Amino acid sequence: AYAKKNGYNVKLIKNIRFLDIENDLRPFLNDTLLVGISCMTGDPIKNGIEFSRVVKKIAPDLPIVWGGYHATLEPGQTISNENIDFLIRGWGEEPIVELLEALKKQKDLRGIAGLSYKIGGQIIHNPIRKFSDINPFPRYDYDLQEGFKESSRRLGKRLRSGSGWPQVPWFKIDHRPPL
């Protein structure tokens, strides 16, 4: 929602297990600046890795960024995957927009707090982003998710937390009823 608010055309593709992934994904990659994957630790990693692999097969030069719980908790392991170019640790709304701007304008990545990336095979972890007030961020944009049931929108709950483990100063917990 924050990237959309900042002028980027965002498309959400939910749960790739139900797609004929290569054929269904191909049209979305035209004129795409960046592909982002949010992933929790556990089985979702398999889907995220497969999604990344297929994106790189279709569009090898298209950058892929990972974020979410797993990327924040295991940044070294995650960014080591050959199909992952960038990783955002912690709260991602601001760094994803800064990364999009840097890619669009070919700017230096060193100033993007919370970003990990690779240069010449070397992994670079920028300093973690300092806490910022999450209240100005827009709420989840249900319009990004095609086929989202209106009843689920009304029942959906959103909890954003700005405190937690000392090693991971920001995390978010989403609770939404199953579709």
Side-chain angles (χ1 to χ4, degrees):
Y2 192 66
K4 182 179 173 182
K5 179 182 173 184
N6 280 274
Y8 288 95
N9 183 12
V10 177
K11 179 69 176 172
L12 179 71
I13 301 171
K14 187 178 179 206
N15 204 336
I16 65 162
R17 291 179 299 172
F18 302 112
L19 296 175
D20 174 5
I21 186 169
E22 194 165 333
N23 290 324
D24 290 345
L25 186 58
R26 194 175 300 277
F28 291 108
L29 301 181
N30 295 331
D31 300 321
T32 298
L33 182 59
L34 178 70
V35 172
I37 297 170
S38 180
C39 192
M40 297 191 318
T41 299
D43 278 346
I45 295 170
K46 294 176 189 174
N47 287 342
I49 290 170
E50 176 63 8
F51 188 88
S52 299
R53 186 191 66 74
V54 172
V55 167
K56 289 296 187 180
K57 179 181 175 185
I58 297 169
D61 296 327
L62 184 59
I64 296 175
V65 60
W66 272 48
Y69 292 105
H70 189 75
T72 297
L73 295 172
E74 295 289 346
Q77 176 196 59
T78 306
I79 193 76
S80 295
N81 185 285
E82 66 185 348
N83 295 311
I84 300 171
D85 304 297
F86 303 103
L87 178 140
I88 294 175
R89 304 176 324 274
W91 196 258
E93 275 71 357
E94 291 172 323
I96 193 73
V97 170
E98 292 171 14
L99 176 59
L100 288 163
E101 286 295 312
L103 293 172
K104 188 166 85 172
K105 297 176 181 175
Q106 299 181 339
K107 293 170 68 177
D108 191 358
L109 301 172
R110 289 179 286 188
I112 303 174
L115 182 69
S116 298
Y117 53 98
K118 302 175 212 173
I119 294 181
Q122 179 184 359
I123 296 171
I124 298 162
H125 298 287
N126 289 352
I128 194 74
R129 182 170 292 273
K130 293 181 181 176
F131 179 76
S132 60
D133 182 8
I134 62 174
N135 290 309
F137 296 137
R139 296 183 142 264
Y140 186 86
D141 187 346
Y142 292 97
D143 293 333
L144 295 175
Q145 190 171 328
E146 283 185 17
F148 193 81
K149 297 177 185 174
E150 183 62 34
S151 61
S152 295
R153 177 191 305 241
R154 287 192 304 270
L155 295 172
K157 297 177 183 176
R158 177 109 170 127
L159 169 65
R160 295 200 244 185
S161 178
S163 62
W165 309 308
Q167 304 91 332
V168 184
W170 317 281
F171 62 96
K172 63 182 175 181
I173 300 169
D174 292 345
H175 171 74
R176 293 185 205 95
L179 297 178

